[in-house]
Amino acid sequence: MDLSNRSRAEAGVAPLQWDAALAAAARAHAERMAQEGPIAHRYGGEADLPERAATAGARFSLIEENIAVGQSPAQIHDGWMRSPGHHDNLINPKIDHIGVALVSVRGVLYAVADYSQSVATLTPADVEWKVGAVVAQHGVALATGEQIEVARRYCALDEGKSLATLGLKARFLMRWQSPEIPKLPPELEQALASGQYTQAAVGACDAKGAANAPQAAFTAYRVAVLLY
C-alpha cells in the first residue's frame, strides 16, 4: 500500500485508503494462487472478482485487480509499474481504496492487490433524505405521508407493469438506479429547473438485481421522484 501511494503521489493522484474487505478477498485469492500454481485472476469453481469482493463485504462501483509472483514487495510493485495494464489499475484516479495480500510459499511471494472505487452503504431512508435535500434546493416542497409511499411503490414496480394500480397523480415521473447518490439525472434536473412544479415526492427501494447480494456485486441505489 505504501509503495502504491508513493507512486500515486509522484503521478499527482490521491492516495488510496485501506479496505479490510478488499484485503480479505485478496488474501483468499492469493492463497488459491499459491495452491494452484500458475497465477490467474480466476480458477475453476471460483467466483469472479466482483463477487469475491462483495462476498467479503466490499461495496463499490468500480473494481480492478493486480496479481504477481516475486521475491519482494518492491520487485512486484516495480513489475506492475512497468506493465501498462497493471500500472493503469494502480494509478487510476477513480480508484480510492485498496486491499493487498502476500502469501509466501517455498520462498516465493504470491501477491494480489484489489483496487476499488468505493460506494457508501446507505439505507433507503438515507437515499430519500439525500436525494430529497438536492431536489428541495430547486425550490420545490417535499411531500410527506401517502405521496412518499406512492413514490416507493413506483420505485419498486417492475418494468412493463401497469401504473394504473398506483393511483399516480404526478405530472412528471422518473426512477433510476445508480451508485452516485444524490446526483440527479439530467432529465430530472431540467424538469426541476423549468419552474412548472411546486412539490416532489421521493421514494427509494431495493436496487433491481440486488435482492440476492452479494451476487449483485456492484453497489447501486434505486430511487423515484414524482413531481406535482
Side-chain angles (χ1 to χ4, degrees), residues 18-68:
W18 184 259
D19 188 310
L22 288 180
R27 182 76 186 185
H29 188 64
E31 291 175 349
R32 185 73 182 265
M33 289 200 311
Q35 294 169 3
E36 298 277 349
I39 64 172
H41 287 284
R42 188 179 187 182
Y43 296 100
E46 185 182 32
D48 62 11
L49 171 60
E51 187 172 340
R52 293 199 307 267
T55 299
R59 295 293 176 262
F60 46 86
S61 58
L62 174 65
I63 189 163
E64 303 289 356
E65 183 175 75
N66 283 354
I67 59 175

Side-chain angles (χ1 to χ4, degrees), residues 156-179:
L157 190 69
D158 289 337
E159 298 293 339
K161 294 290 185 178
S162 173
L163 303 179
T165 59
L166 299 181
L168 295 173
K169 299 180 180 178
R171 294 190 291 133
F172 179 93
L173 314 174
M174 170 153 280
R175 56 185 176 180
W176 71 97
Q177 189 163 304
S178 171

